[in-house]
Short mmCIF file of all heavy atoms in Angstrom, two decimals:
data_model
loop_
_atom_site.label_atom_id
_atom_site.label_comp_id
_atom_site.label_asym_id
_atom_site.label_seq_id
_atom_site.Cartn_x
_atom_site.Cartn_y
_atom_site.Cartn_z
N ILE A 1 -117.27 41.96 -0.41
CA ILE A 1 -118.35 41.48 -1.28
C ILE A 1 -117.81 40.74 -2.49
O ILE A 1 -118.34 39.69 -2.89
CB ILE A 1 -119.25 42.66 -1.69
CG1 ILE A 1 -120.05 43.22 -0.52
CG2 ILE A 1 -120.21 42.27 -2.83
CD1 ILE A 1 -120.83 44.45 -0.81
N GLN A 2 -116.75 41.28 -3.04
CA GLN A 2 -116.11 40.61 -4.20
C GLN A 2 -115.64 39.25 -3.80
O GLN A 2 -115.73 38.30 -4.62
CB GLN A 2 -114.96 41.48 -4.75
CG GLN A 2 -115.40 42.77 -5.35
CD GLN A 2 -116.39 42.58 -6.50
OE1 GLN A 2 -116.28 41.64 -7.27
NE2 GLN A 2 -117.37 43.44 -6.59
N LYS A 3 -115.14 39.06 -2.60
CA LYS A 3 -114.68 37.73 -2.16
C LYS A 3 -115.88 36.77 -2.02
O LYS A 3 -115.76 35.59 -2.38
CB LYS A 3 -113.96 37.87 -0.80
CG LYS A 3 -112.62 38.58 -0.87
CD LYS A 3 -111.89 38.68 0.43
CE LYS A 3 -110.59 39.35 0.40
NZ LYS A 3 -109.90 39.48 1.70
N ILE A 4 -116.95 37.27 -1.47
CA ILE A 4 -118.17 36.41 -1.37
C ILE A 4 -118.68 36.00 -2.72
O ILE A 4 -119.01 34.80 -2.95
CB ILE A 4 -119.28 37.18 -0.59
CG1 ILE A 4 -118.89 37.44 0.86
CG2 ILE A 4 -120.61 36.45 -0.63
CD1 ILE A 4 -119.87 38.29 1.65
N LEU A 5 -118.72 36.91 -3.68
CA LEU A 5 -119.18 36.59 -5.01
C LEU A 5 -118.26 35.60 -5.74
O LEU A 5 -118.67 34.77 -6.52
CB LEU A 5 -119.37 37.88 -5.83
CG LEU A 5 -120.45 38.84 -5.41
CD1 LEU A 5 -120.43 40.10 -6.23
CD2 LEU A 5 -121.81 38.16 -5.44
N ALA A 6 -116.96 35.79 -5.47
CA ALA A 6 -115.98 34.90 -6.10
C ALA A 6 -116.07 33.47 -5.61
O ALA A 6 -115.87 32.50 -6.38
CB ALA A 6 -114.55 35.45 -5.86
N LYS A 7 -116.36 33.29 -4.33
CA LYS A 7 -116.45 31.93 -3.72
C LYS A 7 -117.72 31.22 -4.25
O LYS A 7 -117.71 29.96 -4.38
CB LYS A 7 -116.46 31.97 -2.22
CG LYS A 7 -115.09 32.42 -1.65
CD LYS A 7 -115.17 32.40 -0.12
CE LYS A 7 -113.82 32.80 0.46
NZ LYS A 7 -113.86 32.87 1.98
N LYS A 8 -118.84 31.97 -4.38
CA LYS A 8 -120.13 31.39 -4.84
C LYS A 8 -120.54 30.19 -4.00
O LYS A 8 -120.89 29.12 -4.60
CB LYS A 8 -120.01 31.01 -6.29
CG LYS A 8 -119.91 32.22 -7.23
CD LYS A 8 -119.92 31.75 -8.69
CE LYS A 8 -119.86 32.99 -9.63
NZ LYS A 8 -119.89 32.58 -11.05
N GLU A 9 -120.54 30.35 -2.71
CA GLU A 9 -121.04 29.30 -1.86
C GLU A 9 -122.55 29.49 -1.68
O GLU A 9 -123.00 30.08 -0.68
CB GLU A 9 -120.32 29.33 -0.48
CG GLU A 9 -118.81 29.11 -0.59
CD GLU A 9 -118.09 29.22 0.70
OE1 GLU A 9 -118.75 29.68 1.73
OE2 GLU A 9 -116.91 28.93 0.80
N GLY A 10 -123.28 29.04 -2.65
CA GLY A 10 -124.70 29.33 -2.84
C GLY A 10 -125.52 29.27 -1.54
O GLY A 10 -126.22 30.22 -1.19
N PRO A 11 -125.57 28.15 -0.77
CA PRO A 11 -126.39 28.09 0.42
C PRO A 11 -126.06 29.10 1.47
O PRO A 11 -126.87 29.40 2.36
CB PRO A 11 -126.19 26.62 0.92
CG PRO A 11 -125.62 25.90 -0.29
CD PRO A 11 -124.86 26.95 -1.05
N TYR A 12 -124.86 29.58 1.48
CA TYR A 12 -124.38 30.46 2.58
C TYR A 12 -124.15 31.95 2.13
O TYR A 12 -123.81 32.79 3.00
CB TYR A 12 -123.08 29.95 3.16
CG TYR A 12 -123.09 28.50 3.51
CD1 TYR A 12 -122.47 27.56 2.66
CD2 TYR A 12 -123.76 28.03 4.61
CE1 TYR A 12 -122.49 26.22 2.99
CE2 TYR A 12 -123.79 26.70 4.96
CZ TYR A 12 -123.14 25.78 4.13
OH TYR A 12 -123.19 24.43 4.46
N MET A 13 -124.40 32.23 0.87
CA MET A 13 -124.05 33.54 0.41
C MET A 13 -124.87 34.64 1.08
O MET A 13 -124.35 35.75 1.44
CB MET A 13 -124.21 33.68 -1.12
CG MET A 13 -123.08 32.87 -1.84
SD MET A 13 -123.25 33.00 -3.60
CE MET A 13 -122.75 34.67 -3.93
N ALA A 14 -126.15 34.45 1.23
CA ALA A 14 -127.03 35.45 1.86
C ALA A 14 -126.62 35.72 3.30
O ALA A 14 -126.57 36.89 3.75
CB ALA A 14 -128.49 35.03 1.79
N LYS A 15 -126.32 34.63 4.00
CA LYS A 15 -125.90 34.80 5.42
C LYS A 15 -124.56 35.54 5.52
O LYS A 15 -124.30 36.36 6.40
CB LYS A 15 -125.81 33.40 6.12
CG LYS A 15 -125.50 33.53 7.62
CD LYS A 15 -125.48 32.14 8.24
CE LYS A 15 -125.33 32.24 9.76
NZ LYS A 15 -124.13 33.05 10.14
N GLN A 16 -123.64 35.15 4.60
CA GLN A 16 -122.33 35.72 4.62
C GLN A 16 -122.42 37.29 4.32
O GLN A 16 -121.82 38.11 5.02
CB GLN A 16 -121.46 35.14 3.51
CG GLN A 16 -120.96 33.74 3.86
CD GLN A 16 -120.26 33.08 2.70
OE1 GLN A 16 -120.29 33.53 1.55
NE2 GLN A 16 -119.56 31.90 2.95
N LEU A 17 -123.28 37.65 3.35
CA LEU A 17 -123.45 39.08 3.07
C LEU A 17 -124.17 39.78 4.24
O LEU A 17 -123.82 40.92 4.57
CB LEU A 17 -124.29 39.24 1.80
CG LEU A 17 -124.53 40.68 1.30
CD1 LEU A 17 -123.20 41.39 1.12
CD2 LEU A 17 -125.30 40.71 0.03
N LYS A 18 -125.14 39.11 4.83
CA LYS A 18 -125.84 39.68 5.99
C LYS A 18 -124.89 39.93 7.15
O LYS A 18 -124.87 41.04 7.72
CB LYS A 18 -126.97 38.74 6.45
CG LYS A 18 -127.83 39.32 7.57
CD LYS A 18 -128.69 38.25 8.25
CE LYS A 18 -127.74 37.34 9.10
NZ LYS A 18 -128.51 36.33 9.90
N ASP A 19 -124.03 38.97 7.45
CA ASP A 19 -123.05 39.14 8.53
C ASP A 19 -122.09 40.26 8.20
O ASP A 19 -121.68 41.05 9.10
CB ASP A 19 -122.26 37.86 8.80
CG ASP A 19 -123.18 36.74 9.32
OD1 ASP A 19 -124.29 37.05 9.87
OD2 ASP A 19 -122.77 35.56 9.22
N LEU A 20 -121.71 40.33 6.90
CA LEU A 20 -120.77 41.41 6.51
C LEU A 20 -121.40 42.81 6.70
O LEU A 20 -120.79 43.71 7.15
CB LEU A 20 -120.35 41.21 5.07
CG LEU A 20 -119.51 42.30 4.42
CD1 LEU A 20 -118.19 42.47 5.16
CD2 LEU A 20 -119.28 41.95 2.93
N ILE A 21 -122.68 42.91 6.28
CA ILE A 21 -123.37 44.21 6.40
C ILE A 21 -123.57 44.59 7.89
O ILE A 21 -123.45 45.77 8.27
CB ILE A 21 -124.70 44.18 5.69
CG1 ILE A 21 -124.45 44.08 4.17
CG2 ILE A 21 -125.56 45.41 5.98
CD1 ILE A 21 -125.74 43.93 3.37
N ILE A 22 -123.88 43.59 8.77
CA ILE A 22 -123.99 43.83 10.18
C ILE A 22 -122.67 44.35 10.75
O ILE A 22 -122.62 45.39 11.53
CB ILE A 22 -124.45 42.58 10.92
CG1 ILE A 22 -125.88 42.20 10.56
CG2 ILE A 22 -124.30 42.74 12.42
CD1 ILE A 22 -126.34 40.90 11.15
N GLN A 23 -121.55 43.75 10.33
CA GLN A 23 -120.24 44.20 10.82
C GLN A 23 -120.00 45.63 10.32
O GLN A 23 -119.45 46.46 11.07
CB GLN A 23 -119.22 43.23 10.29
CG GLN A 23 -117.79 43.58 10.75
CD GLN A 23 -116.76 42.59 10.17
OE1 GLN A 23 -117.08 41.74 9.38
NE2 GLN A 23 -115.48 42.76 10.54
N THR A 24 -120.28 45.87 9.06
CA THR A 24 -120.15 47.21 8.51
C THR A 24 -120.99 48.22 9.19
O THR A 24 -120.54 49.40 9.51
CB THR A 24 -120.39 47.21 6.99
OG1 THR A 24 -119.57 46.24 6.35
CG2 THR A 24 -120.13 48.57 6.36
N LEU A 25 -122.24 47.88 9.47
CA LEU A 25 -123.14 48.83 10.13
C LEU A 25 -122.66 49.21 11.51
O LEU A 25 -122.82 50.34 11.96
CB LEU A 25 -124.56 48.20 10.26
CG LEU A 25 -125.48 48.40 9.09
CD1 LEU A 25 -126.81 47.64 9.30
CD2 LEU A 25 -125.79 49.92 8.92
N ARG A 26 -122.05 48.26 12.21
CA ARG A 26 -121.50 48.55 13.55
C ARG A 26 -120.41 49.62 13.45
O ARG A 26 -120.39 50.58 14.26
CB ARG A 26 -120.96 47.33 14.22
CG ARG A 26 -122.11 46.37 14.72
CD ARG A 26 -121.54 45.06 15.19
NE ARG A 26 -122.60 44.19 15.69
CZ ARG A 26 -122.45 42.86 15.94
NH1 ARG A 26 -121.30 42.29 15.67
NH2 ARG A 26 -123.48 42.18 16.36
N LYS A 27 -119.53 49.47 12.48
CA LYS A 27 -118.49 50.48 12.23
C LYS A 27 -119.17 51.80 11.79
O LYS A 27 -118.69 52.85 12.20
CB LYS A 27 -117.49 49.95 11.22
CG LYS A 27 -116.72 48.77 11.64
CD LYS A 27 -115.77 48.30 10.53
CE LYS A 27 -114.98 47.05 10.92
NZ LYS A 27 -114.15 46.58 9.77
N ASN A 28 -120.18 51.66 10.98
CA ASN A 28 -120.88 52.84 10.47
C ASN A 28 -121.43 53.64 11.61
O ASN A 28 -121.42 54.89 11.69
CB ASN A 28 -121.94 52.41 9.53
CG ASN A 28 -122.57 53.52 8.69
OD1 ASN A 28 -123.30 53.29 7.73
ND2 ASN A 28 -122.30 54.81 9.04
N VAL A 29 -122.14 52.92 12.55
CA VAL A 29 -122.76 53.56 13.69
C VAL A 29 -121.69 54.24 14.55
O VAL A 29 -121.91 55.35 15.06
CB VAL A 29 -123.56 52.54 14.54
CG1 VAL A 29 -124.03 53.13 15.84
CG2 VAL A 29 -124.77 52.08 13.68
N ALA A 30 -120.55 53.59 14.74
CA ALA A 30 -119.47 54.18 15.55
C ALA A 30 -118.98 55.49 14.91
O ALA A 30 -118.71 56.48 15.64
CB ALA A 30 -118.32 53.19 15.69
N LEU A 31 -118.86 55.49 13.62
CA LEU A 31 -118.43 56.76 12.91
C LEU A 31 -119.53 57.83 13.02
O LEU A 31 -119.22 59.01 13.22
CB LEU A 31 -118.18 56.47 11.44
CG LEU A 31 -116.94 55.56 11.16
CD1 LEU A 31 -116.85 55.30 9.65
CD2 LEU A 31 -115.64 56.16 11.67
N ASN A 32 -120.78 57.38 12.91
CA ASN A 32 -121.86 58.37 13.07
C ASN A 32 -121.89 59.00 14.48
O ASN A 32 -122.15 60.20 14.63
CB ASN A 32 -123.20 57.70 12.75
CG ASN A 32 -123.41 57.33 11.35
OD1 ASN A 32 -122.65 57.76 10.42
ND2 ASN A 32 -124.37 56.48 11.02
N GLN A 33 -121.63 58.16 15.46
CA GLN A 33 -121.62 58.64 16.84
C GLN A 33 -120.46 59.62 17.08
O GLN A 33 -120.63 60.60 17.81
CB GLN A 33 -121.50 57.48 17.79
CG GLN A 33 -122.74 56.59 17.91
CD GLN A 33 -122.56 55.40 18.79
OE1 GLN A 33 -121.47 54.99 19.14
NE2 GLN A 33 -123.67 54.76 19.15
N PHE A 34 -119.31 59.32 16.41
CA PHE A 34 -118.19 60.29 16.53
C PHE A 34 -118.59 61.58 15.86
O PHE A 34 -118.23 62.66 16.33
CB PHE A 34 -116.92 59.68 15.89
CG PHE A 34 -115.78 60.65 15.94
CD1 PHE A 34 -115.03 60.77 17.10
CD2 PHE A 34 -115.46 61.42 14.83
CE1 PHE A 34 -113.93 61.71 17.14
CE2 PHE A 34 -114.38 62.35 14.92
CZ PHE A 34 -113.66 62.40 16.03
N GLY A 35 -119.28 61.52 14.74
CA GLY A 35 -119.75 62.73 14.07
C GLY A 35 -120.63 63.55 14.97
O GLY A 35 -120.55 64.75 14.98
N GLU A 36 -121.54 62.89 15.70
CA GLU A 36 -122.35 63.58 16.63
C GLU A 36 -121.55 64.26 17.79
O GLU A 36 -121.85 65.38 18.21
CB GLU A 36 -123.38 62.64 17.30
CG GLU A 36 -124.42 62.11 16.28
CD GLU A 36 -125.30 61.03 16.81
OE1 GLU A 36 -125.10 60.63 17.98
OE2 GLU A 36 -126.16 60.57 16.11
N GLN A 37 -120.52 63.62 18.22
CA GLN A 37 -119.57 64.17 19.24
C GLN A 37 -118.84 65.37 18.65
O GLN A 37 -118.72 66.40 19.33
CB GLN A 37 -118.54 63.13 19.71
CG GLN A 37 -119.12 62.15 20.72
CD GLN A 37 -118.00 61.31 21.31
OE1 GLN A 37 -117.18 60.75 20.58
NE2 GLN A 37 -118.00 61.17 22.59
N LEU A 38 -118.45 65.26 17.42
CA LEU A 38 -117.77 66.39 16.73
C LEU A 38 -118.70 67.59 16.67
O LEU A 38 -118.30 68.71 16.90
CB LEU A 38 -117.34 65.93 15.33
CG LEU A 38 -116.80 66.99 14.44
CD1 LEU A 38 -115.53 67.65 14.92
CD2 LEU A 38 -116.51 66.43 13.00
#
């Protein structure tokens, strides 16, 4: 997020953050699924 804010590419910032959160959510879901297995 700090990298996105530092670049300040106005037209693309929302999409960049959205893609980043999607990527993070996928990892988040994988960790949650492992927790369920545990």
Side-chain angles (χ1 to χ4, degrees):
I1 290 173
Q2 293 302 322
K3 291 181 180 179
I4 292 175
L5 295 176
K7 290 181 180 179
K8 291 185 179 180
E9 298 177 352
Y12 308 105
M13 289 181 71
K15 186 178 186 307
Q16 289 172 347
L17 182 57
K18 185 196 72 174
D19 293 342
L20 174 62
I21 292 177
I22 290 174
Q23 182 183 4
T24 303
L25 271 176
R26 287 172 178 164
K27 296 178 181 178
N28 192 170
V29 170
L31 293 177
N32 292 347
Q33 289 175 346
F34 178 81
E36 292 172 0
Q37 281 189 311
L38 172 62

